[in-house]
């Protein structure tokens, strides 16, 4: 481990549909200070079971300084610590006091945020869009489509742009990576859907940059060159660490001067 000042150390946990990952990180440098640990997401994805698995995961990270903040990201809208949606997770999360449950289970303060918000913020802070200003739209192409809006380094939380209605349907059902797999679409056929999706986003937001994350972004050469957009579109860089780093960093940024 390098020398870390106490306020640089934070914990990031990324809860996904199949796995829960976490690490202790340095939020100044974006370095992982421990190995990334992973446990399978419990069957059914219910809140108590997930919280118990997160506690187990945190125990495997070794000693965590008492003052280190903890950020946890999850695939749902999260308003003031309450999960408000459940597109691809157990419906038990709707209207659920998630932040409180994890604080009780881990016996410490935590910050609970949306997974794509964390990943997008992580990419702007440490990854593919490091230090870039302007309007950046992060999209994660996985089971669903996650999105994050970051303007001049400031995150506008809970953009749910994966659920834009296009051609009369919730478009993540057409353009998420899961749709490619489910329908066995070629890269070309899938890219046609992505073309429609990103053109719609372009029209609505006039962004300066699109970032594309999610596991499939490692194969970006197969589909990004097939898109024709006015906005630059680039793959995310932090891969499996984006959510961990973004959640950890967001947890250190809670303002104390607002009510
Ligand atoms: C959810 C989002 C989430 C995204 C990626 C969508 O179905 O509505 O909250 O960020 O999937 O996990």
């Amino acid at each position: 481990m390098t020398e870390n000042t106490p306020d640089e150390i934070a914990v990031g946990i990324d809860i996904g549909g199949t796995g829960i990952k976490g690490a202790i990180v340095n939020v100044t440098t974006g370095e992982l200070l421990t190995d990334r640990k992973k446990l399978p997401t419990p069957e059914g994805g219910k809140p108590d079971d997930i919280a118990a698995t997160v506690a187990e995961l945190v125990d495997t990270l070794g000693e965590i300084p008492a003052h280190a903040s903890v950020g946890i990201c999850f695939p749902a809208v999260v308003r003031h610590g309450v999960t408000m949606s459940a597109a691809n997770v157990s419906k038990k999360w709707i209207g659920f006091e998630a932040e409180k449950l994890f604080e009780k289970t881990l016996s410490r303060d935590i910050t609970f945020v949306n997974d794509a918000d964390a990943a997008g913020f992580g990419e702007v802070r440490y990854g593919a869009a490091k230090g870039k200003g302007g309007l950046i739209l992060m999209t994660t192409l996985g089971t669903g489509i996650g999105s994050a809006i970051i303007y001049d380094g400031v995150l506008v939380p809970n953009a749910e742009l994966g659920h834009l209605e296009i051609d009369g349907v919730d478009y993540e059902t057409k353009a998420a990576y899961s749709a490619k797999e489910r329908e066995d679409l070629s890269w070309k056929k899938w890219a046609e859907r992505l073309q429609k999706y990103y053109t719609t986003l372009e029209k609505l937001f006039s962004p300066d940059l699109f970032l594309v994350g999610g596991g499939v972004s490692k194969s970006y050469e197969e589909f990004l060159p097939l898109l024709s957009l006015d906005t630059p579109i680039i793959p995310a860089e932090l891969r499996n660490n984006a959510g961990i780093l973004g959640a950890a960093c967001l947890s250190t940024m809670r303002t104390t001067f607002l009510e």
Side-chain angles (χ1 to χ4, degrees), residues 74-77 85-88 114-117 140 142-147 158-160 162-163 172:
F74 185 79
V77 170
S85 67
N88 297 299
N114 172 264
D115 59 351
D117 281 350
T140 60
T143 308
I145 297 184
S147 59
N158 290 319
E160 284 286 322
H163 300 297
E172 78 167 19

Side-chain angles (χ1 to χ4, degrees), residues 135-139 198-199 201-202 207-212 229 231-235:
L135 181 60
I136 297 176
L137 287 194
M138 166 76 160
T139 51
Y198 287 108
T199 307
L201 288 182
E202 214 169 34
D208 293 297
L209 181 66
F210 284 123
L211 291 178
V212 181
L229 299 160
T231 313
I233 183 161
I234 61 170

Side-chain angles (χ1 to χ4, degrees), residues 41-56:
T41 305
E43 196 75 28
K46 295 206 193 78
D48 283 335
D49 297 342
I50 291 196
T53 306
V54 166
E56 209 183 305

Side-chain angles (χ1 to χ4, degrees), residues 133-246:
L135 181 60
I136 297 176
L137 287 194
M138 166 76 160
T139 51
T140 60
L141 304 174
T143 308
I145 297 184
S147 59
I149 300 178
I150 295 128
Y151 181 66
D152 275 355
V154 176
L155 172 72
V156 180
N158 290 319
E160 284 286 322
L161 304 178
H163 300 297
L164 270 180
E165 191 176 309
I166 304 175
D167 294 342
V169 293
D170 175 339
Y171 213 63
E172 78 167 19
T173 61
K174 290 271 173 201
Y177 180 59
S178 59
K180 178 183 185 308
E181 291 204 300
R182 191 174 55 243
E183 298 181 44
D184 199 16
L185 300 174
S186 62
W187 290 109
K188 186 161 168 284
K189 281 275 168 232
W190 186 50
E192 283 167 15
R193 297 182 183 187
L194 294 176
Q195 176 69 33
K196 194 172 258 191
Y197 180 62
Y198 287 108
T199 307
T200 306
L201 288 182
E202 214 169 34
K203 261 195 259 165
L204 292 173
F205 291 94
S206 304
D208 293 297
L209 181 66
F210 284 123
L211 291 178
V212 181
V216 70
S217 65
K218 65 175 180 298
S219 309
Y220 68 94
E221 281 166 340
E222 303 282 358
F223 62 99
L224 289 189
L226 305 179
L227 303 180
S228 161
L229 299 160
D230 293 332
T231 313
I233 183 161
I234 61 170
E237 271 173 12
L238 301 173
R239 300 277 152 79
N240 282 324
N241 294 338
I244 293 174
L245 283 166

